[in-house]
Amino acid sequence: MKRIITLTVNGEPVEGAVEPNRTLLSFLREDLGLTGAKHGCGLGDCGACTVILDGKPVNSCLVLAVQADGREVLTIEGLADNGKLHPIQEAFIETGAIQCGFCSPGMILSAKALLDESPKPTETEIRTAISGNLCRCTGYQKIVEAILAAAGTAQGKEVS
Amino acid sequence: MNSFSYTRADDVATALREVAADGAAKFIAGGTNLIDLMKENVERPSRLIDITRLTLGGIRPRSDGGLRLGALATNTDVAYHKEIERRYPLLSKAILAGASPQLRNMATVGGNLLQRTRCCYFYDTATPCNKRTPGVGCSAIAGFNRAHAILGTSAACIASHPSDMCVALAALEAVVRVTGSVGERVVPFAAFHRLPGDTPNIDTNLQADEIITGVDLPARGFAEHHAYLKIRDRASYAFALVSVAAALEMDGNTITEARLALGGVAHKPWRDPQTETMLHGQSATRENFKRVAEALLRDAKGFGRNRFKIELAKLAIVRALSQASFKEAHS
């Protein structure tokens, strides 16, 4: 039986009717048309489905939509401000941290959650924060540099 | 996922009443393991009772000098809690050795205790598994068992317990607090999880009408001398082949107390307190560590592909004890 849920998505109140076995990822993508969060492994491994739930990055493929009732969700679509990209998004473009783009929404949201808590993170903290997001293109170095750049800290170093 | 009904419990009494009313109902909190298993059709609950709004979170000091971890405290809450980092760094390091930030943000203390094995046959509903369907046989004993148990196995099951956090909790001698229809009780950590025996389908001694409310950490946290060593096939995205939580009390170079818990080698976090006493009064030398490692693995039994774990576990024990014996642990 469907249940009515009300939640805040990207600052806007949203209401939906969902079967209990729908995931938050499926609700966002299919009911709200917010396709920024990607369906990757579906098992909580790859991080492509990462959204920020009540301030914390989570795998939306492992969250039931009914469990998000009354809570606040931020997806990649909510990051730009009146068409102006978020500084982390800009840094990803500038640094060449985006290639195929499949991991980018989740990666950027993991970075956002980190910078919200720790505005000047170390490289180690950055690597820990994105350790739940798999990228098959970049080798991660450009992503780390982008997050360092967005934080206004020193450029990352190449790792041998 | 199968279809199921969903209710949200606002208090523990309601949660217990709901779960007692339906034998195929389950509690859901972080859901990081349960949803995964439901997607694979391994778990097919008729009803999910959402307990995330119960007031079972938080980390609080106890009058005996220890700490109480609420059952709904997340792995992130625990791993980065200032008092845990300062007084129980072994626990913090064990938690951070597993999963990912996203999973740790959802996964709870209670759920970590109840997570199920990652045995590939348990997950594969096309193959026989005594843990999934009692009596049908174990595919792992003669199968792909690289990740499987070498201690405490039975003819029915050689699955290993996947948790890192529980290995540290076993070494710290934490106590599990549960409440149920007959009231509250406390379960020493060593008595919480079960060996497979003839009933590998039953992972723990938690009863069907009980709920975990918290985990108590004793006052002693072994902050000065500890190590958590996790050996796995990759540096991330892999469960432990062998992990070791080592905790020592030392007087100079003499060990006055030793705790060793092993992960990835048994159906539960593995402790052998009698063997640990071999180290009491001994100096922290490689030879003494090797002796205790040999003794701890004396009854180990491999099943082909996982035979290497016996030697690996011994080496990991020696390394973890060596790290723990330094004042600043390097785990």
Side-chain angles (χ1 to χ4, degrees):
Chain A
M1 192 179 73
K2 284 190 177 177
R3 293 178 63 96
I4 304 295
I5 56 170
T6 56
L7 59 160
T8 304
V9 179
N10 299 332
E12 300 290 330
V14 166
E15 193 174 84
V18 292
E19 293 287 350
N21 64 357
R22 294 278 305 285
T23 62
L24 175 61
L25 176 65
S26 151
F27 175 69
L28 292 170
R29 288 179 59 84
E30 294 157 26
D31 293 17
L32 303 187
L34 297 172
T35 55
K38 299 290 184 269
H39 188 282
C41 68
L43 301 170
D45 284 335
C46 75
C49 66
T50 300
V51 301
I52 296 182
L53 181 64
D54 290 343
K56 300 274 189 191
V58 300
N59 300 119
S60 63
C61 74
L62 292 183
V63 178
L64 296 176
V66 286
Q67 288 197 289
D69 184 33
R71 303 176 72 177
E72 193 165 330
V73 177
L74 179 70
T75 73
I76 193 72
E77 289 89 347
L79 218 51
D81 185 11
N82 280 329
K84 185 175 174 348
L85 291 181
H86 187 278
I88 302 173
Q89 292 173 303
E90 291 283 6
F92 266 62
I93 296 167
E94 286 296 315
T95 316
I98 296 176
Q99 290 188 29
C100 89
F102 199 82
C103 76
S104 305
M107 199 67 89
I108 288 168
L109 289 171
S110 286
K112 162 128 188 4
L114 169 69
L115 297 186
D116 285 350
E117 275 195 17
S118 175
K120 299 288 178 196
T122 63
E123 183 168 335
T124 302
E125 287 169 335
I126 291 171
R127 289 187 183 273
T128 300
I130 61 168
S131 62
N133 296 84
L134 288 182
C135 172
R136 300 303 306 273
C137 305
T138 66
Y140 301 99
Q141 185 58 31
K142 295 295 179 190
I143 292 171
V144 173
E145 286 175 22
I147 300 168
L148 283 165
T153 46
Q155 291 293 304
K157 294 187 203 74
E158 290 287 340
V159 286
S160 53
Chain B
M1 272 187 276
N2 65 297
S3 293
F4 54 86
S5 61
Y6 169 89
T7 50
R8 189 186 296 155
D10 293 323
D11 55 70
V12 170
T14 307
L16 290 172
R17 206 164 42 244
E18 295 264 3
V19 84
D22 182 347
K26 279 196 172 291
F27 293 131
I28 184 167
T32 54
N33 189 204
L34 180 58
I35 300 290
D36 186 25
L37 289 165
M38 287 169 66
K39 287 186 174 190
E40 300 289 341
N41 274 318
V42 176
E43 296 278 10
R44 297 178 59 82
S46 58
R47 183 179 192 79
L48 286 186
I49 301 149
D50 186 345
I51 56 169
T52 52
R53 316 285 164 118
L54 303 183
T55 52
L56 294 177
I59 296 165
R60 280 179 283 280
R62 286 167 42 79
S63 57
D64 67 356
L67 286 183
R68 175 165 302 167
L69 315 176
L72 290 173
T74 66
N75 284 186
T76 301
D77 293 338
V78 178
Y80 293 110
H81 190 275
K82 290 291 167 230
E83 283 296 288
I84 303 284
E85 288 180 319
R86 188 175 69 83
R87 295 178 52 200
Y88 305 92
L90 174 64
L91 178 58
S92 180
K93 287 173 186 173
I95 292 171
L96 295 175
S100 67
Q102 291 94 321
L103 292 171
R104 292 193 294 265
N105 285 337
M106 295 290 293
T108 62
V109 167
N112 194 302
L113 266 59
L114 297 178
Q115 69 177 305
R116 310 209 66 189
T117 183
R118 261 58 178 192
C119 170
C120 55
Y121 299 102
F122 176 66
Y123 265 77
D124 181 358
T125 55
T127 59
C129 169
N130 286 323
K131 186 179 273 297
R132 227 183 322 100
T133 314
V136 298
C138 171
S139 303
I141 289 174
F144 290 99
N145 51 35
R146 179 174 168 78
H148 288 69
I150 51 172
L151 288 163
T153 55
S154 74
C157 181
I158 61 168
S160 59
H161 194 265
S163 173
D164 290 297
M165 186 181 95
C166 289
V167 181
L169 290 175
L172 292 168
E173 297 191 345
V175 172
V176 186
R177 304 189 73 88
V178 306
T179 190
S181 54
V182 294
E184 288 189 51
R185 65 188 180 108
V186 293
V187 185
F189 208 80
F192 186 78
H193 296 97
R194 294 161 57 105
L195 289 176
D198 296 332
T199 53
N201 53 311
I202 307 171
D203 291 345
T204 72
N205 288 315
L206 188 73
Q207 301 302 305
D209 62 348
E210 288 181 321
I211 190 169
I212 299 170
T213 56
V215 171
D216 289 347
L217 300 178
R220 284 200 303 161
F222 297 89
E224 281 193 6
H225 294 288
H226 70 276
Y228 188 73
L229 179 64
K230 182 176 184 178
I231 311 283
R232 44 185 171 169
D233 281 329
R234 298 175 296 280
S236 63
Y237 287 100
F239 288 93
L241 293 166
V242 171
S243 67
V244 183
L248 301 174
E249 293 278 3
M250 297 185 65
D251 182 4
N253 196 43
T254 303
I255 296 164
T256 55
E257 180 159 4
R259 305 259 187 92
L260 276 169
L262 306 182
V265 296
H267 199 256
K268 59 187 284 189
W270 189 262
R271 278 278 313 272
D272 181 351
Q274 190 61 39
T275 299
E276 290 164 10
T277 62
M278 283 174 62
L279 285 170
H280 295 180
Q282 303 295 310
S283 51
T285 64
R286 193 172 171 80
E287 289 65 37
N288 286 333
F289 297 156
K290 279 166 96 166
R291 277 199 308 122
V292 77
E294 288 290 336
L296 268 168
L297 273 296
R298 65 187 176 272
D299 296 325
K301 180 183 170 196
F303 296 86
R305 289 179 167 87
N306 72 346
R307 207 164 280 150
F308 73 98
K309 278 192 174 191
I310 299 172
E311 186 62 21
L312 184 66
K314 292 177 190 173
L315 294 170
I317 289 165
V318 172
R319 185 185 293 177
L321 284 169
S322 300
Q323 289 177 350
S325 66
F326 293 111
K327 191 146 188 171
E328 286 190 357
H330 299 290
S331 56

